[in-house]
Each structure stands twice: as structure tokens, then as C-alpha cells.
Amino acid sequence: MSLEERLDKIRSPNLQNQRETAIVLSAVEETLREQKHDQAPTAYFAALLALLGPAITPANGITNKDLAFSVIYLLDLVIAHVPAPLLRSRFSQILTSIAPALTSQDADAPLLRSSIGCLQSLLAAQDNAAWALPQTQISPRRAVAGLLTLASDQRPKVRKRAQDALTHVLQHPPPTPSLDHPVADMCAETALRSLHDALATANASKKKSKDSTQEHHQPGLIHALQLVKTISLASGGWPSKNIEPLCEVLLGVSRSSNQYLTIGAFEVFEAMFKGMANQFSSSKLPRLMEAISELKPSQNDSQLLPPWIAVISRGYDVSAQVDPDGTFHKLPGLFRSVAEFLSSASHEIRVSASECLISFLVNCVPESVVAEPSVFDEKTMEKLAQVAQDLLSVKYQAAWMEVFNVEAVFFEALRWRAIPLAQNIITTIGELRASDSFNGKKEADVVLGKAIQSMGSEAVLGILPLNLAKSQKGLPGRAWLLPLLRDNVINTNLSHFRSEFVPLSEAMYERVIGHGESEKTMEVKIFETIVHQTWALFPGYCNLPLDLLQAFDQGFAELLSNLVYSQPELRADICRGLQTLVESNQEILAVEANEQEILLRNRITKVVAQTNLDHLAKYSGNLLAVLFNVYSQTLPHFRGYILQCIDAYLSITKEKEVLETFSRVTEMLETTITDTALQPQAAKQQPKEPISNQMPPTSHTLMDLIITLSIYLPLPTFPQLFTLTSRILPLTNDPQLQKKAYKLLPRLATSANGSLALRNRNQDLQSLLLSSASTASAPARRDRLLALATTIANIPPSDLHFIPSVLSEAVIATKEVNEKARTAAFDALVLMGRKMSEGGTIEQSKIPHMDASAPTVEANLEEFFTMVSAGLVGETPQMVSASITALTRILYEFHGQLQRNVIEDLVSTLTLFLTSNNREIVRSCLGFVKVIIVSLPTDMVQTRLETLVPGLLGWSKEHKSRFRAKVKHILERMIRRFGVQEVERWCPNDGKKLVQNIRKTKERKKRKKAEGAGEEDKADEEKRTRKGTFESEYDEAIYGSDDDDDDSDPVSSDDERAPRPRKPDRKVATNNNNNSKGTYITELPDDEPLDLLSTTALSHISTSKPVPFKARARTKAKVDLDGKLVFGNGHSGKGDADIDGDAMAVDPKDDPGDGTLEGGINAYVEAIRGRDAVQRGRGGRLKFSNKRNRGKDEMDVDEEEEGGERRREMSGRGGGVRGREMDGGGGRGRGDGGGKRGDSKMMRKGLGVQKVRGGRVGKMRGGRR
């Protein structure tokens, strides 16, 4: 921004505090005009400097604050445009004039910031001679000392402005041969001294104070770190003379437990490295790294060592950017020195060391070394591989998990150059992986997977052979490598698959065939699995193979064809592999990168990729023939991958072969259609197989192939294609074939030739689609709408009469049951509106059922809305409702492009339908009302509230309250936009209750949030947020709601179509009729009430019916025949047995399974004769009891005579909800009789149970016997 533009803003101030400045500027300009001076920066500067004298004096300081601020503010703007020689010659005068503003205790922050700006421009203009003056004189160094003081000021804005000024001064040094600014050393020493003092002060206060929060509140130290960071960024890293002491202090600061200090120290290091990442300042980097290396902490210092390792890692990252080759040659020594920390007992140190090694491999191995290594580079890689191998020794066993991460990145860094170097690494990891006692199999698999990706499967299997085809004694089989190969094979030799895995597959398959048709053994199943896993590797080998020209020959193509025919279970992998062969090479051709990057990443160039595609094109004809035949013999739900493979090979097939294929398929389809039409009706109605096992008609298969072929056809074939389509569309006896024919047009639009054909033959397509409207079947409706949209997108502006011709069809489709059809209808309506908005002419005489004398009208949005509005006078409620829905959608889309009077007329018309008696029409009208509330301007809708609010409230009291939820949600939107008072103003007296409920609900929620008790609401909101996703903005406007309106109030705000919650069970949650969510409170043990103020209260509230609380199993008190308690270990034999509920029970002196001999015997007897023992039923079938063995829940008939007191105790516990703890409750609210909840049978007493007060007694477990 120029000076004049800045001054123009001041001349017309918008803020009150700028008015004084505007007055001063006006006075200065008036003076300049009187003295006939030009309004140049120099003139402004001289006038302002003269005006500054009365406001600020060295003796009295600031005498007029307002004038001083205005003058210095204007000086800050002007001084940057003043010539540098003038600033150098008047340095002492200028500095003396503004110095009181910088040093005065009464100076406000705005005055200081403007003064700092003046000082910044003044210092940036000084030369070497001025900077050479000592600080004791009035010199630039003295001014910088003042800036350094202000850079640690307590006021944030002042501190920030001073730091910015220092940065600007240090980044604009005078011409000098030195790397640093003349004052950089002084700034560094001052900043380092302030950091020392702040650190000492912080340590002293920490020792004196026992407050643990004192360490986390050290603003002085943080400000000092920020100053050091500023100087580091501005001075190209840090002045060379002060690097060592700064590193020592920073590492000491990083030991602090205060995370802000640690982060600040690392930011300073980062700033230093960033300043040295250029060629000009990179000469300081070796000295900095040497200083950091000399400060190496103790090997077991878990506080200081991790940050030191992090700094080393970042430093060599910058070093690799400046000197890639030199840093790479240092890498083995660095690797070995950092690797020593992996033997530390501290987990933090091991993790830091492993991350540092990973950083070295990622950042310090240049791509040129991998692409074209020199002899010295190869020796360096050998040393690096040796260090990586040493990491797998026993010395680092405790850090093997971290070591595996390093080894994985090692393979990624060296890529295929690791093939001769990493043999011992792979051998060691393979031996560890094969050991049953090794716990790091997952990590080892990751390393081996990276090795397979980088080195290739051939190199890895040469070190770790599978040993599956010919197993030898002492050589372990490694079938576990097959899944690793499947997931990681890429960019390798396809010939290895032919030589290694094809013979393995044949050998395994021969063993399967040799077993015959007898029942499969486990061994045979393993052989079958190996065959499947072997061919699962094929897609990976086909992903950018390096030897495609040699490996993919006629013999291999015949082998694949035979397997596709004979092995249906292998078709998916083979087709996926063949498809990958084509698509992976096509991706290389589509990549926008230089050849060097492509070669380094994929080891092939674009030229090689094109050669591979040309080679595959030689076999595409035969492969397509095979795939066509297999496709016709495959069930529909298993043929998708075959069609994708066909599509891939059609893309590389020559045009002549594509034409021949198209001709054959077209002839067969025409013949099939003719034969089907001549087929007798009796033959069509003969019994068919189930749909899942039924092959589709031949015509469906052929039509699929034609759709796939269509985008690869030349232009001369499209007339034949459209003729075939026109023959299929009128067919009403085959809806699926008709559906596939409609799919052809959107498919053509995806290719250049297809789009051109659609534009050239658009009139024929219009006639075809109009003539086939009456024969369109329901399954084809969505695809017909997509075909209509494709045609509309390609019509010229002169043929827009097609839009009103098919408009009614799109409008009616908005009421389709199929959601995809509705979406297609909405999209078609929007596309029509956009096409009409582009302009054109509509010849109404060409519209069906229109008079030949109808005039031609101009196409625009208003005309489109008029056409859609014609459906409002339809004869059926469905047509009227569909028209309202369509108008709602296009109004939401185009309301910003319509004139206001058009929108007002539309709103006036549609809101009248709120008084309709038809619910279908009202439902659509409610959606329209919601859209206008959300989308239209406030003033336009507010004038309609007088009619809208009463109309809405009238439907809230409808007979079955179908629209109550919708109406309440719309009212919530109204209240949020217009306020409660405005909405309540137009409410009738009988409808104010609903508005008051909404208002109270919002107030209650605000009150809860203010009190901090909204945790449950937040949880509900998160749950609804996860579910409340919409496919479009229009759906969100119609059905969506804001989070702050979803309250648990008497009427839900969700859409009416949402599933209603189940009616709450009276046995579990009573008085819950006012909660539509069906909220339950989980029962607590011992009938304790739920403390709603407890922090755990939310865990006992559920939206689903909880299982009743089950008390912990307790030992039953022993009673005699009279019900008296028996203490001690004495037993009465029979009595105890009866009490335990099993007359066959052994004397329970020792509990079953308690570890003693008798306990073991008792456990065995309990298993074969107890109540849970296995029994034989009718026909000798085994029956297992699913009853829970809960002693006090068993109620036998004999207990009526033997244990009256015990029975009364149990029935007394049956009161209320807790009574369901007995078997009659069943834990799920139903008895064993299978009655429904609330059934009258559930109220019957159990057999032999007397009626008692205090609650219902549940039915006994078992029901009938």
C-alpha cells in the first residue's frame, strides 16, 4: 500500500481514536500548502518532526500525549518513504526526538508501537560507519539496546512489535563481507545474558518455593526464549561466536518439566537450523553440530538424552538438505553412535534413539545414491547394512521392537540396493519369525513385508525359501510367507511367479486331484488353501512387472485362459491380475512427473509402460473372447470383476478388433431379441430355478457387453447403437433389459466420442425418449431419469422444448418409493433449471399435447418455475404434492437467482395449501415452509408469519398427531430466526402452549449448560450427530436440525419418518410416557436409589431396556425341616439335601471342585446327576439344560410343606421391580411360558405360591414340567 493510500484512510477516519490524527494531518497539509511545498514524504517528515518538539522534550518527557501519539503515528507511516541518506544524516536529531517516547514510564502501548516503527526504519537505513560507533554515544547500537529491552516487555503487543523490528534490522544489514549483521553479536550476547538471568531466577525461585505450580509459571524465561528465537531466525541461525554457550543453556532449559519451556527450547533449535538451511549461512552448521555433539549427555539420563537426540536428528536433516552426499557418507558413524542408546534400560531413550535412526534413513539417504551409486556410495551402504545387522544382536534384545521399526525403514530407504547387503538381516528375522516362542511376529512380518516390497519376492525367497513343494528333513516349511507375499509383492519380475509358484500350484493341485472324490481330509484342505494362496499372489506380480515382455507370452496367456475356464474359484485373482497389468501401466502414462522421479519410484519409464501396453494389446483379442465366454457362464453376483477386466482390455484393443467384437455381439443380441419375441407364451411361463441360482437371459449378458463396449466405439457405429437401443426401449416384457438400455446413455457421456454422438443425435434421442415414456417399467425409472438428464445436458439452446415435454415425469418421480429414483428426479430438476437459466428459446408448438399455434417463449428461471407450478392444479393429490416438492427443491437451489416478486408470489400460492384437507399435500407443504424459513431473507418470511403460524399450529392438533413433530421442528426454526415474541405474537390462544413448551425447553437447556449439568445432553448430541448425516444440503434443510434444538421434550424434533421407539415396559420404567426416547434407570444393588448428583449417575441411565441387577452369588443359610437356622458344619443328611433342591445330592461337606479328593468326586457326581446334567430325551437324543443354577431362585412344590419360612422370605422379595430377580422375571421381562410383556398370564401366581402383599411374585423357572 502506497503512502497516499495510507494517508487517505486517515483523512476519512472510521474510528474515534483516529480523529485526532486526522486533525494533525490536516494541519500539516494546510501548512505545506501555505508554504507552497510539495506534499512529498520528505516535506511531511520535516513538518512532523518540527511538530513533535512541543509534544515531547528530552527534559520534560511527554507533555501532550494525544499530540505525541498522532505525530509519531504519522511519522511511522512517512519515515519508511524518506530517503536513506537523510535518515543517516539526521540520525542523532531523530533519535533524540523519539527517545523519550521509548523510555518514558507514562508511554502507552500504542505510542510505543509507533515509536518502535520509526526506530526500525531509522536503523535499517544506517551504514557501516554508523554501526561502528560505540554504544556509549548516540548511535545505532544504543538504539538497538533499547529495542532489546522492549523485546522482553510484559505487554504482548509491545514485545511483539519490538521483536519484529529487531528481525527487520538484522535481516537488512549494510553492505559487508561478514555473514552476520554488525550488531548481531551484541544482540546475541544480550539475549543470551537475559536467558541466563531468567534461568537463574527461575531456579532460585523453585528452590525457595515449595509450590509445584511455580515451575509452570515462568513468563520471564519464556519471553527470553522467544527473544533468542527471534534473533536466531533473523541472523541466519545464530552468530558463530556464541553458538556453544547457547546450546548449553538450551539443553539445560529442555530438561525442565514445564512443557512450554521444552517446546520453546526446541523452537530455538529449529529456528537456528532453519536459518542455516541456505547456502549463505550453511557454513555455520558444522560448528553448531559439533557444539551439540560435545554436549552429549550421559547414556542413562532419561531427561536430557531424548531432547538431545531430537536436536541431533533435526540438525542432520538440515545438513542433508545443504550437503546431501557429505551427510550420507557420515551416516554409518552417526548410525552407530546413536544406536548405542538402544541398549539403555529407559524405554523413552530407546524410542527416541529409534526415531532418530529412522529420521537418518529417511532424510539422509539421497535418491541419487539409490538410482546411480558410486563406488564410495556402495561402500557406505555396506557399512550401514552392517550396523543395521548388528542391531539384531543380543545386546539390543530389549529394544527389538524398536529395532524392527528401524529395519523396516532401512529397506524402504535402500530399495533394491539392499539385495546383496541385507541377506543376514532377512535370515536373522526369518529365524526369529519361525520360532514358536518369539512374541514379535507381527513386527517381524512388517519388516519382511518391507523387504519384499523393496528387494522383490525373488530375492527374499532366495534367502527364506518356502520349502512346500519338496519338503526335506531339517528344512522348515514357510507357508506363513504366502500372506506376506500377497500383501507386499509389487514391481517385481513376473517370470518368478511362472518359475516358482505355477509349479507349486500344479504340485498342490495334483495332490488334491489324487485324493479322489472321497471325503476331504485336513491335509487335502491345506493343499487347496495353498493353491488359493498361490494364485492370490498373481495380482501383486502383475503390478508393474519389470519383465512383462519376456514373461507374458503365448504359453502363459493360454495357461491363464485354461485356468479361467476350469477353475472358477481362481477366476477372481486371475481377472484382477490381468486387469492390474493394464491399469498399472496406464497409471504410469498418466503421471505428471519427470522421468527421473518415475524411474526411481517404479523402476520403469513412460516409454517402457507404453511398450508394455502395446505388448498386451497383441493378446487382448483372445483374452476378450475367453472373458466373454466366461462372463456368459457366470452367475450375476459373481461376474462384476470379469466385466471390469473386460473393460480394461477393451481400452487397449485396436479399433478394428473392437468393431468386429461389437458386430458379433450386436448380431447375437438382435437374434436373441427376435427369438424371445417369437417364443410361445407357455414356454415363458414354465417353472424357473431360484433367482440366486438362475442364469440371466442371454440378451441381458449381451447388453452388458455392449454397454461396456460403447465408450470405445468409433463415431460411425453410433447409429447402429442407437437403432438397437430404440428397438429395446419399447419392450415391456423384459424390464431388466429395458433398464440396461437406459444405462447406455449415461455411459456414453463418459467418453469424448460418446459425448459428441449425444450432441449430434440429440433430436433423435429426444424423440426416442418421448415415445418410450409410456412403456417405461418401474425398475427402469431411475435409469430413465439419468438418461433424460444426460440428454438435457447436451441439448442446444434451440431445443429447450424437450424440458417441458418431460418435466411432468421428473416431477412425479419425486414421489417415488425408491430413494435413488427420487434423488435422480431432484438432480434432473436442478439440471433443467440450470439449463433454462443459461437462456434459449422454447417452441411450445413442439411440446406434446400443445396447440400448433402456441407462441415461442424465452427460456429463463421464471419460466421454469411457471412450468413446474402448473402441476399445482393437478387432478390428483399425488400430482399436487409432487409439484410442491419439486418447487421446494428448485426454490432451495435457485432462490438467490430469482427476483423478489417471483419468490413472494410463489410463497403466497404454496402457503395456501396449508389449509388443504389432504395430508399428502400438507406433508409436502410443511417441507416447503421449512425451506423458506431456512433459505429466504428474514424480512420476506417475517411478513408471512401472520398466516404461517396459525396454519402450522392447526396441523399440530390433527387427529392422530402425524405432523406434530414436523410442526414443532418448524416452529423451533422460526423461534431461532425470528425470536419467541414474534412467533408467539401470531399464535392463537390454543396454540401458545406448544410455543411455551419450546421456549421453556430452550431455557432449561441453557440453564443446565450454565450450571455445568449438560453432560447427558452432550452425549445424546454426539450420538445424534453420528447418525444425523444427510446426502445433500437440501436433505439437511428439510430433515436436519441444529444440535442445540434436540432436547428431550414431550415431542421429538426428529423427522416424522424416523422409527418410533418401543413403548416403555411398565415393569422396568414407570411414568415414562413423557419421554419419547424410552429412557431407563439401571437398578442398583440392595434397592439403593440412584444419586443423580453423582459423577457415575450417567452410567446408570440407558436408552435400551437393561437387564435387572443380579446380586453377587451368596452362600445360602442352612435351615432344618422347621425352617430354623443351622450354624456350624453339622448336617442332617436328608434335610440338607432337600434344602439344596436335589434329593440325589451327595453330602456337600466338600464343595465340588474345591481341590480336595472329595471335592473332585462331588464335582463328577454333580456333572452326571445334578440339575444341570446332560439327559437323554425322546429317541435317545442328548438334552442340555439351559437353566441358570441360582439356588434361591428354585422353587419346588415340596417346599410348600418343608420350607414355609423360606418361601415367604423369597416371595417378600418379589415386590416391585426387584421381584423379577426370581425366575418368573426371567431377566428379560417374560416368563418361560413365552407370554408377551404385559400379558395377563404374567400376573398369575407360581404353582404352590400364596398371594402376598408388597409386590408380584414371578413365575417359577421351568414353567410346565
Side-chain angles (χ1 to χ4, degrees):
M1 187 181 295
S2 65
L3 175 61
E4 189 61 31
E5 291 175 344
R6 292 174 181 269
L7 295 178
D8 282 339
K9 285 188 174 184
I10 297 175
R11 293 186 184 107
S12 55
N14 296 323
L15 300 177
Q16 184 66 30
N17 59 355
Q18 290 182 347
R19 298 189 183 278
E20 182 72 23
T21 306
I23 295 173
V24 173
L25 177 62
S26 177
V28 169
E29 291 177 341
E30 183 66 25
T31 303
L32 293 177
R33 282 193 294 268
E34 290 177 356
Q35 297 178 0
K36 297 181 180 181
H37 289 297
D38 294 334
Q39 294 184 358
T42 306
Y44 277 113
F45 177 71
L48 290 171
L49 202 60
L51 190 59
L52 184 61
I56 301 177
T57 60
N60 301 324
I62 304 174
T63 58
N64 189 337
K65 268 189 181 181
D66 294 337
L67 179 61
F69 169 73
S70 300
V71 173
I72 292 184
Y73 182 81
L74 292 172
L75 271 175
D76 187 17
L77 297 180
V78 172
I79 195 171
H81 302 273
V82 175
L86 177 60
L87 295 179
R88 285 197 290 268
S89 62
R90 298 295 185 92
F91 176 81
S92 300
Q93 178 186 353
I94 299 171
L95 182 60
T96 305
S97 299
I98 64 174
L102 293 168
T103 58
S104 175
Q105 298 294 330
D106 300 332
D108 296 331
L111 178 60
L112 279 174
R113 293 202 305 272
S114 300
S115 303
I116 292 171
C118 296
L119 189 59
Q120 169 187 317
S121 301
L122 184 63
L123 291 174
Q126 303 308 306
D127 55 9
N128 278 324
W131 286 111
L133 296 175
Q135 187 175 345
T136 56
Q137 300 180 12
I138 300 178
S139 62
R141 287 180 175 271
R142 190 169 185 176
V144 170
L147 274 182
L148 289 170
T149 303
L150 292 173
S152 299
D153 194 88
Q154 297 297 323
R155 288 165 288 189
K157 292 184 178 180
V158 175
R159 186 170 62 249
K160 180 68 169 59
R161 187 66 184 88
Q163 291 173 0
D164 292 342
L166 281 172
T167 301
H168 181 80
V169 171
L170 292 176
Q171 287 179 347
H172 294 82
T176 176
S178 176
L179 293 177
D180 299 325
H181 194 284
V183 81
D185 289 337
M186 187 191 84
C187 293
E189 292 173 359
T190 304
L192 188 57
R193 191 183 311 113
S194 65
L195 182 59
H196 268 295
D197 296 342
L199 184 60
T201 304
N203 292 334
S205 61
K206 180 180 177 182
K207 293 179 180 179
K208 293 180 180 179
S209 176
K210 297 182 179 180
D211 187 4
S212 59
T213 61
Q214 184 69 25
E215 186 179 359
H216 297 279
H217 184 69
Q218 299 171 349
L221 191 53
I222 295 177
H223 297 165
L225 281 171
Q226 185 64 31
L227 178 59
V228 172
K229 177 183 174 182
T230 301
I231 296 174
S232 299
L233 285 171
S235 60
W238 189 257
S240 303
K241 299 178 182 179
N242 300 285
I243 287 179
E244 292 86 351
L246 176 63
C247 293
E248 185 176 358
V249 175
L250 289 177
L251 288 175
V253 172
S254 64
R255 299 182 62 177
S256 172
S257 60
N258 187 344
Q259 59 177 342
Y260 298 106
L261 294 178
T262 305
I263 293 173
F266 281 124
E267 287 178 349
V268 173
F269 277 117
E270 179 67 25
M272 294 170 66
F273 290 133
K274 185 177 179 180
M276 298 178 184
N278 55 68
Q279 295 295 332
F280 183 74
S281 303
S282 60
S283 58
K284 303 178 186 179
L285 188 59
R287 185 169 183 178
L288 174 60
M289 297 308 302
E290 181 182 353
I292 296 174
S293 300
E294 291 176 355
L295 296 173
K296 178 180 177 181
S298 172
Q299 189 169 357
N300 297 319
D301 191 344
S302 59
Q303 280 190 331
L304 190 55
L305 199 53
W308 180 85
I309 293 175
V311 171
I312 286 288
S313 172
R314 177 64 180 127
Y316 281 101
D317 179 14
V318 176
S319 177
Q321 299 174 24
V322 176
D323 184 14
D325 294 334
T327 306
F328 175 68
H329 296 151
K330 297 177 184 177
L331 195 55
L334 295 172
F335 217 81
R336 193 177 299 277
S337 63
V338 176
E340 294 296 326
F341 298 117
L342 289 173
S343 60
S344 174
S346 172
H347 177 70
E348 291 78 6
I349 295 177
R350 296 199 301 267
V351 171
S352 299
S354 64
E355 291 176 351
C356 181
L357 295 177
I358 291 173
S359 175
F360 285 161
L361 292 170
V362 171
N363 300 314
C364 301
V365 179
E367 295 180 349
S368 59
V369 170
V370 178
E372 297 178 359
S374 63
V375 176
F376 193 39
D377 293 338
E378 291 178 352
K379 293 182 179 180
T380 303
M381 285 190 285
E382 291 178 3
K383 296 177 182 178
L384 196 60
Q386 183 62 43
V387 179
Q389 179 182 342
D390 294 341
L391 294 179
L392 294 171
S393 62
V394 181
K395 177 181 179 181
Y396 305 107
Q397 185 173 4
W400 268 356
M401 298 302 104
E402 290 80 14
V403 168
F404 284 162
N405 295 333
V406 177
E407 301 290 357
V409 180
F410 171 80
F411 286 110
E412 287 183 334
L414 297 190
R415 302 289 300 278
W416 63 90
R417 299 297 175 187
I419 291 178
L421 306 175
Q423 179 175 355
N424 294 334
I425 297 175
I426 295 176
T427 302
T428 303
I429 296 178
E431 292 174 354
L432 291 172
R433 173 61 177 80
S435 175
D436 294 335
S437 60
F438 183 62
N439 296 326
K441 287 183 171 59
K442 182 178 179 181
E443 290 77 9
D445 287 346
V446 173
V447 179
L448 292 175
K450 296 298 182 182
I452 294 170
Q453 291 178 12
S454 304
M455 300 168 58
S457 56
E458 185 175 3
V460 175
L461 292 179
I463 303 171
L464 300 175
L466 292 174
N467 297 329
L468 295 178
K470 298 179 181 180
S471 58
Q472 299 179 9
K473 187 176 181 180
L475 296 178
R478 296 187 178 92
W480 50 268
L481 273 174
L482 292 175
L484 286 179
L485 291 167
R486 177 197 62 203
D487 297 336
N488 296 284
V489 169
I490 186 175
N491 201 203
T492 186
N493 294 319
L494 183 59
S495 57
H496 179 252
F497 181 83
R498 293 188 61 181
S499 61
E500 178 75 17
F501 291 103
V502 172
L504 174 63
S505 173
E506 293 174 351
M508 295 294 116
Y509 189 68
E510 288 177 359
R511 297 184 185 182
V512 174
I513 297 299
H515 186 71
E517 298 181 357
S518 57
E519 184 178 357
K520 294 181 180 179
T521 62
M522 182 60 67
E523 187 178 13
V524 173
K525 293 180 180 178
I526 291 175
F527 294 152
E528 287 183 341
T529 303
I530 293 176
V531 172
H532 295 160
Q533 289 183 335
T534 299
W535 281 99
L537 308 179
F538 183 61
Y541 275 93
C542 293
N543 195 340
L544 291 177
L546 303 176
D547 57 347
L548 179 63
L549 300 179
Q550 297 78 24
F552 198 92
D553 53 14
Q554 185 65 32
F556 190 54
E558 292 177 357
L559 171 65
L560 296 177
S561 302
N562 293 332
L563 287 175
V564 168
Y565 274 124
S566 60
Q567 299 291 328
E569 63 275 7
L570 302 180
R571 285 176 186 170
D573 292 323
I574 295 175
C575 289
R576 196 178 301 114
L578 290 172
Q579 179 184 351
T580 306
L581 278 176
V582 176
E583 293 180 350
S584 60
N585 285 281
Q586 289 176 338
E587 289 175 0
I588 293 296
L589 295 177
V591 171
E592 296 181 358
N594 57 51
E595 291 290 332
Q596 185 67 25
E597 292 180 1
I598 297 176
L599 181 62
L600 182 64
R601 188 182 310 163
N602 304 295
R603 300 178 68 183
I604 65 172
T605 61
K606 289 187 176 183
V607 176
V608 175
Q610 185 60 54
T611 305
N612 291 341
L613 291 176
D614 296 339
H615 179 72
L616 290 173
K618 299 176 183 178
Y619 303 96
S620 61
N622 294 331
L623 287 175
L624 285 173
V626 172
L627 292 172
F628 284 169
N629 291 333
V630 173
Y631 183 80
S632 63
Q633 301 169 9
T634 308
L635 292 173
H637 45 283
F638 295 124
R639 54 167 52 169
Y641 55 85
I642 303 177
L643 201 62
Q644 293 174 0
C645 187
I646 291 174
D647 187 35
Y649 278 86
L650 284 172
S651 65
I652 62 171
T653 304
K654 296 180 180 179
E655 184 177 303
K656 181 180 179 182
E657 296 182 6
V658 173
L659 285 175
E660 293 175 356
T661 304
F662 175 69
S663 300
R664 290 196 300 268
V665 175
T666 305
E667 292 175 2
M668 293 174 62
L669 180 58
E670 292 176 346
T671 304
T672 304
I673 293 174
T674 304
D675 295 344
T676 304
L678 298 175
Q679 187 178 3
Q681 188 68 22
K684 296 179 182 179
Q685 296 178 353
Q686 63 185 1
K688 298 180 180 180
E689 298 181 12
I691 298 297
S692 59
N693 299 325
Q694 181 181 350
M695 290 294 297
T698 306
S699 58
H700 293 187
T701 301
L702 295 174
M703 194 63 199
D704 286 339
L705 297 178
I706 288 178
I707 293 173
T708 308
L709 280 163
S710 60
I711 62 174
Y712 304 108
L713 294 174
L715 283 175
T717 61
F718 282 98
Q720 183 182 1
L721 186 64
F722 290 140
T723 302
L724 180 63
T725 305
S726 63
R727 184 178 177 184
I728 295 174
L729 289 183
L731 297 178
T732 58
N733 58 348
D734 196 344
Q736 292 299 323
L737 183 62
Q738 189 184 80
K739 179 179 180 180
K740 292 179 183 296
Y742 279 119
K743 287 183 176 181
L744 182 62
L745 297 184
R747 169 76 171 172
L748 288 175
T750 60
S751 67
N753 285 342
S755 299
L756 182 59
L758 289 175
R759 289 191 293 271
N760 294 339
R761 303 184 63 87
N762 196 269
Q763 292 185 353
D764 296 338
L765 288 176
Q766 295 176 30
S767 303
L768 175 61
L769 291 173
L770 290 174
S771 61
S772 61
S774 58
T775 59
S777 59
R781 199 154 292 157
R782 170 181 174 267
D783 295 290
R784 175 176 169 81
L785 289 169
L786 294 176
L788 290 174
T790 303
T791 305
I792 291 171
N794 291 280
I795 59 175
S798 58
D799 288 349
L800 293 181
H801 61 273
F802 180 70
I803 291 178
S805 302
V806 297
L807 180 59
S808 59
E809 184 177 354
V811 170
I812 286 291
T814 60
K815 303 293 290 184
E816 281 288 331
V817 178
N818 189 323
E819 182 183 358
K820 293 182 179 179
R822 291 198 306 271
T823 304
F826 286 134
D827 293 342
L829 287 170
V830 172
L831 181 62
M832 291 176 185
R834 290 174 180 166
K835 201 70 178 179
M836 293 281 286
S837 66
E838 293 174 0
T841 57
I842 302 176
E843 299 182 23
Q844 299 189 67
S845 58
K846 295 184 179 181
I847 301 175
H849 310 297
M850 288 288 287
D851 189 14
S853 61
T856 300
V857 297
E858 293 294 325
N860 50 51
L861 271 179
E862 287 77 9
E863 183 65 25
F864 180 60
F865 273 81
T866 303
M867 291 189 296
V868 179
S869 301
L872 296 176
V873 296
E875 298 179 355
T876 61
Q878 184 186 18
M879 185 63 197
V880 177
S881 175
S883 300
I884 295 174
T885 303
L887 286 168
T888 303
R889 179 65 182 93
I890 60 178
L891 177 63
Y892 179 81
E893 187 72 26
F894 301 110
H895 67 272
Q897 304 175 33
L898 289 174
Q899 297 180 5
R900 185 182 180 93
N901 60 342
V902 176
I903 299 177
E904 289 179 346
D905 293 343
L906 183 64
V907 172
S908 301
T909 303
L910 292 187
T911 51
L912 293 176
F913 287 95
L914 279 176
T915 60
S916 173
N917 294 327
N918 188 279
R919 293 190 184 91
E920 185 176 7
I921 296 175
V922 173
R923 184 189 300 272
S924 299
C925 193
L926 290 177
F928 175 79
V929 171
K930 182 174 180 181
V931 165
I932 66 174
I933 291 173
V934 171
S935 305
L936 298 186
T938 304
D939 56 342
M940 187 183 298
V941 183
Q942 193 166 3
T943 58
R944 305 286 175 183
L945 293 182
E946 183 178 0
T947 57
L948 287 177
V949 174
L952 291 172
L953 290 173
W955 282 102
S956 68
K957 300 181 293 238
E958 187 253 348
H959 175 55
K960 293 186 178 180
S961 298
R962 291 184 176 90
F963 300 134
R964 185 174 175 84
K966 276 183 173 290
V967 170
K968 181 176 182 294
H969 180 57
I970 294 173
L971 289 174
E972 289 174 351
R973 291 273 185 165
M974 281 186 177
I975 291 172
R976 185 163 59 251
R977 195 166 190 197
F978 305 108
V980 178
Q981 296 179 353
E982 184 66 21
V983 175
E984 201 170 14
R985 172 187 173 190
W986 304 111
C987 283
N989 293 330
D990 55 349
K992 291 185 177 181
K993 184 177 180 181
L994 181 59
V995 177
Q996 290 174 359
N997 171 263
I998 297 173
R999 177 179 56 80
K1000 291 179 180 179
T1001 301
K1002 293 176 69 68
E1003 291 176 354
R1004 182 169 60 250
K1005 186 167 185 179
K1006 289 181 180 178
R1007 188 167 57 251
K1008 284 184 178 180
K1009 286 185 177 180
E1011 296 173 355
E1015 296 181 3
E1016 182 179 355
D1017 294 334
K1018 292 179 182 177
D1020 291 341
E1021 286 173 5
E1022 290 176 1
K1023 184 176 181 180
R1024 284 191 291 270
T1025 301
R1026 289 191 297 269
K1027 295 182 179 179
T1029 55
F1030 301 94
E1031 294 185 357
S1032 66
E1033 294 180 358
Y1034 172 71
D1035 291 341
E1036 185 174 2
I1038 290 291
Y1039 307 119
S1041 177
D1042 289 353
D1043 292 340
D1044 57 358
D1045 286 333
D1046 295 335
D1047 300 293
S1048 55
D1049 42 39
V1051 182
S1052 173
S1053 296
D1054 293 334
D1055 188 76
E1056 187 177 49
R1057 298 180 297 176
R1060 296 181 178 178
R1062 291 173 52 186
K1063 193 173 182 179
D1065 197 321
R1066 290 175 295 175
K1067 302 172 186 176
V1068 179
T1070 59
N1071 297 328
N1072 198 26
N1073 297 329
N1074 292 332
N1075 190 356
S1076 62
K1077 300 297 183 183
T1079 305
Y1080 299 86
I1081 295 179
T1082 307
E1083 298 172 1
L1084 298 178
D1086 300 328
D1087 291 335
E1088 295 180 3
L1090 178 62
D1091 182 7
L1092 295 177
L1093 297 180
S1094 173
T1095 57
T1096 61
L1098 190 60
S1099 63
H1100 295 283
I1101 298 175
S1102 173
T1103 55
S1104 59
K1105 186 174 179 180
V1107 177
F1109 177 81
K1110 299 176 183 178
R1112 184 177 297 176
R1114 300 177 182 176
T1115 305
K1116 293 187 299 181
K1118 296 180 175 59
V1119 295
D1120 58 11
L1121 295 178
D1122 296 329
K1124 296 180 180 180
L1125 292 173
V1126 177
F1127 297 94
N1129 295 327
H1131 301 281
S1132 59
K1134 179 181 177 181
D1136 289 341
D1138 289 342
I1139 292 167
D1140 290 339
D1142 188 358
M1144 301 298 295
V1146 182
D1147 183 11
K1149 180 171 58 178
D1150 294 288
D1151 294 334
D1154 61 355
T1156 63
L1157 178 60
E1158 293 184 25
I1161 296 172
N1162 293 341
Y1164 173 74
V1165 174
E1166 178 72 13
I1168 64 174
R1169 302 181 66 180
R1171 62 173 61 88
D1172 295 330
V1174 180
Q1175 300 177 359
R1176 289 193 179 272
R1178 183 178 301 175
R1181 297 181 179 177
L1182 295 178
K1183 296 173 64 178
F1184 297 89
S1185 173
N1186 60 355
K1187 303 174 185 177
R1188 298 183 179 178
N1189 184 13
R1190 294 186 294 179
K1192 63 180 180 181
D1193 289 348
E1194 295 294 338
M1195 295 170 53
D1196 295 334
V1197 178
D1198 296 336
E1199 288 181 351
E1200 180 72 10
E1201 301 175 357
E1202 298 177 357
E1205 286 293 325
R1206 178 168 171 266
R1207 184 178 64 247
R1208 284 193 293 272
E1209 173 204 326
M1210 295 180 63
S1211 61
R1213 294 184 181 179
V1217 181
R1218 290 292 303 232
R1220 292 179 295 102
E1221 189 172 321
M1222 301 163 63
D1223 292 330
R1228 296 182 181 271
R1230 64 175 63 187
D1232 290 343
K1236 298 181 180 179
R1237 292 182 174 90
D1239 195 349
S1240 59
K1241 295 181 180 180
M1242 294 296 295
M1243 305 303 295
R1244 296 178 181 176
K1245 302 193 295 288
L1247 185 60
V1249 180
Q1250 296 179 353
K1251 181 177 180 181
V1252 295
R1253 295 185 179 181
R1256 177 179 57 83
V1257 179
K1259 291 177 67 176
M1260 68 178 180
R1261 180 182 292 275
R1264 301 190 183 102
R1265 296 230 176 157

